[in-house]
């Protein structure tokens, strides 16, 4: 498959902003308000405890006070997703992330929790009660934290695309010189990839230049091998552009029967399409053409181009 034509095919097929493969949704509340789950029940119990603490201010015995703090502590730190509650989010007002409080020793944590509860009642509880507490906040916060769930999204997308074309995950019984399969060196299969490199004489010099970084995917179709580095980039900026330079650099390298595949998806790929003559993306685009012309077995693709490459394999 001609690598220049495949790159230009990618340029003609823009990245879709709302790609299902990049969706990071976790539903934490029920679809219907009439139904409840453990998270909702726990949040409502937490609000009841805060209300009780507020209402009985100055009237609680030490034992009663300790019992309320103990139960709040148990709800917040023993039940999953309680970091999404309004009370937990109030921690950020005091520059104390939920994870920091959770990591404290129990005795110290409960002491801090009591101080926080008093401040929360003063600053937020009456306000939220007036507007009406809602379990919707749990889902809103879950959605807000979606960007932090990016760790496996790229791998999941690659798995979806390669398996759609019939490739199976590597098994120890596979013949590494003859069989067709894929593996994910950067997701726990480094040992297998290194073994393949040794037995198939793949030098993979790019890895050495990147402090031993493993590729995201290795695909094998009989004698032909494809080493894939994937980047998902949502927008510009110095750090984002640096990632483009890194995968463009992959195109410089060659090994016998090996194709190095730079796979860029997300909004930033679309910036390559519209690159002007005087910006960084224009330089990156020129470098891509230069290295593709020099190394005809290498590829630079987006989602559409990667799918077409897999079909051609």
């Amino acid at each position: 498959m001609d690598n220049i034509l495949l790159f230009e095919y990618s340029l003609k097929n823009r990245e879709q902003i709302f790609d299902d493969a990049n969706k990071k949704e976790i539903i934490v509340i029920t679809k219907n308000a009439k139904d409840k789950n453990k998270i909702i029940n726990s949040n409502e119990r937490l609000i009841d405890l805060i209300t009780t603490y507020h209402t009985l201010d100055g009237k609680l015995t030490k034992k009663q006070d300790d019992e309320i703090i103990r139960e709040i502590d148990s709800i917040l730190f023993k039940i999953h997703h309680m970091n999404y509650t309004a009370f937990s989010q109030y921690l950020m007002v005091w520059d104390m992330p939920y994870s920091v409080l959770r990591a404290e020793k129990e005795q110290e944590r409960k002491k801090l929790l009591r101080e926080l509860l008093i401040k929360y009642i003063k600053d937020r509880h009456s306000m939220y009660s007036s507007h009406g507490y809602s379990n919707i906040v749990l889902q809103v916060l879950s959605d807000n934290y979606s960007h932090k769930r990016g760790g496996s999204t790229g791998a999941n997308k690659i798995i979806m695309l390669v398996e759609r074309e019939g490739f199976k995950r590597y098994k120890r019984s596979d013949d590494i010189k003859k069989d067709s399969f894929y593996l994910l060196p950067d997701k726990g299969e480094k040992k297998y990839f290194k073994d393949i490199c040794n037995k198939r004489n793949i030098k993979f010099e790019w890895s050495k230049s990147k402090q031993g970084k493993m590729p995201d995917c290795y695909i094998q179709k009989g004698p032909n091998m494809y080493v894939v580095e994937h980047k998902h980039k949502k927008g510009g900026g110095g750090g984002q552009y640096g990632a483009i330079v890194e995968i463009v650099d992959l195109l410089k390298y060659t090994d016998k029967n090996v194709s190095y595949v730079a796979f860029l998806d997300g909004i930033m790929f679309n910036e390559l399409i519209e690159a002007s003559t005087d910006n960084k993306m224009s330089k990156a685009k020129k470098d891509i053409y230069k290295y593709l012309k020099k190394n005809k077995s290498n590829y630079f693709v987006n989602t559409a181009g990667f799918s077409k490459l897999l079909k051609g394999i």
Side-chain angles (χ1 to χ4, degrees):
M1 187 176 298
D2 187 285
N3 63 354
I4 299 292
L5 291 180
L6 187 59
F7 177 50
E8 292 179 343
Y9 172 82
S10 296
L11 293 172
K12 292 175 183 176
N13 289 269
R14 298 175 65 87
E15 280 295 302
Q16 299 303 306
I17 307 306
F18 302 109
D19 184 342
D20 285 344
N22 297 327
K23 193 175 184 182
K24 306 167 189 174
E25 177 184 59
I26 293 180
I27 299 296
V28 297
I29 61 174
T30 56
K31 296 288 186 181
N32 192 312
K34 295 179 181 179
D35 301 321
K36 295 188 178 183
N37 58 16
K38 186 176 183 179
I39 296 169
I40 290 173
N41 288 332
S42 298
N43 184 50
E44 292 180 350
R45 177 57 180 161
L46 175 63
I47 295 167
D48 286 344
L49 288 167
I50 294 170
T51 301
T52 298
Y53 201 88
H54 181 209
T55 303
L56 298 180
D57 181 31
K59 300 176 183 177
L60 294 169
T61 65
K62 184 179 185 305
K63 183 178 179 181
Q64 290 171 328
D65 188 291
D66 288 344
E67 180 59 28
I68 289 176
I69 296 300
R70 185 203 63 76
E71 189 173 351
I72 289 176
D73 181 84
S74 182
I75 289 171
L76 288 178
F77 303 113
K78 292 184 180 179
I79 298 174
H80 205 37
H81 298 310
M82 285 298 100
N83 57 313
Y84 298 150
T85 64
F87 182 70
S88 295
Q89 290 299 306
Y90 177 71
L91 279 162
M92 298 305 294
V93 172
W94 299 98
D95 197 25
M96 179 183 282
Y98 171 88
S99 59
V100 172
L101 183 58
R102 181 178 57 187
E104 289 283 349
K105 291 182 179 179
E106 184 177 349
Q107 185 175 354
E108 179 63 20
R109 187 177 66 230
K110 288 180 178 178
K111 178 183 175 183
L112 292 171
L113 202 53
R114 182 177 281 103
E115 292 179 31
L116 178 72
L117 180 57
I118 293 168
K119 294 180 184 300
Y120 178 83
I121 288 171
K122 177 178 178 291
D123 293 344
R124 294 288 187 272
H125 184 58
S126 295
M127 181 196 304
Y128 292 166
S129 296
S130 176
H131 284 276
Y133 273 99
S134 171
N135 290 310
I136 290 174
V137 71
L138 300 168
Q139 189 61 51
V140 171
L141 266 297
S142 175
D143 293 347
N144 181 62
Y145 284 117
S146 293
H147 68 285
K148 295 185 177 181
R149 303 181 190 128
S152 63
T153 304
N156 290 340
K157 182 169 185 175
I158 287 177
I159 291 170
M160 178 191 74
L161 293 172
V162 298
E163 291 193 349
R164 190 169 67 188
E165 298 306 324
F167 288 93
K168 304 296 183 183
R169 195 79 169 256
Y170 171 76
K171 304 184 299 295
R172 291 187 183 183
S173 59
D174 287 333
D175 187 325
I176 64 171
K177 291 189 176 181
K178 296 179 181 179
D179 289 338
S180 298
F181 56 82
Y182 78 93
L183 56 83
L184 306 175
D186 199 39
K187 292 288 183 274
E189 295 174 331
K190 176 180 178 178
K191 180 181 179 297
Y192 302 138
F193 177 68
K194 284 194 165 186
D195 188 44
I196 290 170
C197 287
N198 289 333
K199 292 181 179 178
R200 301 208 62 173
N201 197 31
I202 302 173
K203 296 178 182 178
F204 195 37
E205 296 290 343
W206 181 81
S207 176
K208 296 174 185 177
S209 72
K210 306 297 178 188
Q211 291 77 49
K213 187 181 187 309
M214 288 291 101
D216 292 302
C217 183
Y218 170 82
I219 303 170
Q220 182 170 300
K221 179 75 171 180
N224 298 314
M225 298 162 281
Y226 300 82
V227 175
V228 183
E229 180 65 12
H230 174 235
K231 297 289 184 187
H232 173 70
K233 292 298 164 187
K234 295 172 282 188
Q240 301 279 354
Y241 179 72
I244 306 302
V245 172
E246 182 177 286
I247 60 170
V248 171
D249 188 60
L250 179 70
L251 304 176
K252 296 179 184 178
Y253 296 89
T254 59
D255 274 300
K256 186 177 180 181
N257 294 328
V258 177
S259 290
Y260 288 108
V261 182
F263 175 16
L264 173 65
D265 67 358
I267 297 172
M268 201 165 189
F269 183 87
N270 294 342
E271 292 184 21
L272 278 174
I273 300 171
E274 295 143 6
S276 64
T277 57
D278 59 352
N279 65 10
K280 289 182 177 180
M281 293 304 286
S282 176
K283 182 182 183 307
K285 193 172 183 178
K286 289 176 182 176
D287 286 342
I288 292 167
Y289 273 112
K290 179 175 72 175
Y291 297 133
L292 291 180
K293 289 175 182 176
K294 183 178 180 181
N295 300 314
K296 298 299 291 182
S297 62
N298 291 346
Y299 299 92
F300 194 100
V301 295
N302 68 348
T303 304
F306 188 59
S307 296
K308 187 167 186 174
L309 175 64
L310 291 171
K311 291 180 186 298
I313 292 175

